[in-house]
Amino acid sequence: MAYLLMFVTLLHLITLAMLFIATMEKSWWVWDGMENSDLWYNCRFDNLTGTWLCSSSKETEWLQAVQVLMVLAVVFSSVSFLGGLFYFTGLCQIFAGLTALSAALIYTLHNKEILQDLKELTLGHFGYCFFLAWVCVPLLVLSGIIYIHLRKKE
């Protein structure tokens, strides 16, 4: 049981780090590696200066929903460390998984509205942060279930 507790704690830390990266990094939508868009900024690489030039994303209702849900997922996963183990932690992890699922699903279904004034969408594709958010969903739910299962064994 001690190994299972160490495993689920490590899984918790890994998913928290992945959630934070998915929320803050610049790669939810990518065009040819020289332009990308995330939840907060639209960026393009300037070959002349060798730097990324970023501007704030145009706020749409769908983008705000994704932003709020991803921040909530990070908060739920972080808060679960504060509580005692097991039920509270497990429920927070499951809620984090559900909010990340909702955010990724909204972005999947409404990316045309979210990225409406940017380059042609057919020239771009989903970036690694988008996939990272999807990978977090089953890991968060799994860690939540394991925490609750550990409570039953106590």
Side-chain angles (χ1 to χ4, degrees), residues 113-145:
E113 292 92 347
I114 292 171
L115 302 167
Q116 63 189 348
D117 292 338
L118 300 175
K119 286 176 71 172
E120 181 65 35
L121 288 182
T122 58
L123 300 175
H125 56 86
F126 292 108
Y128 78 93
C129 289
F130 170 79
F131 294 112
L132 204 56
W134 274 110
V135 168
C136 285
V137 171
L139 294 177
L140 287 164
V141 172
L142 176 67
S143 71
I145 291 170

Side-chain angles (χ1 to χ4, degrees), residues 1 7 11 21 28 66 94 96 98 116 130-131 137:
M1 183 147 127
F7 168 76
L11 180 63
I21 290 168
W28 277 68
V66 174
I94 291 171
L98 293 175
Q116 63 189 348
F130 170 79
F131 294 112
V137 171

Side-chain angles (χ1 to χ4, degrees), residues 58-78:
K58 182 178 178 189
E59 293 292 323
T60 65
E61 293 85 14
W62 294 116
L63 179 60
Q64 288 176 343
V66 174
Q67 289 170 337
V68 167
L69 288 166
M70 286 303 291
V71 169
L72 272 175
V74 172
V75 168
F76 276 130
S77 190
S78 300

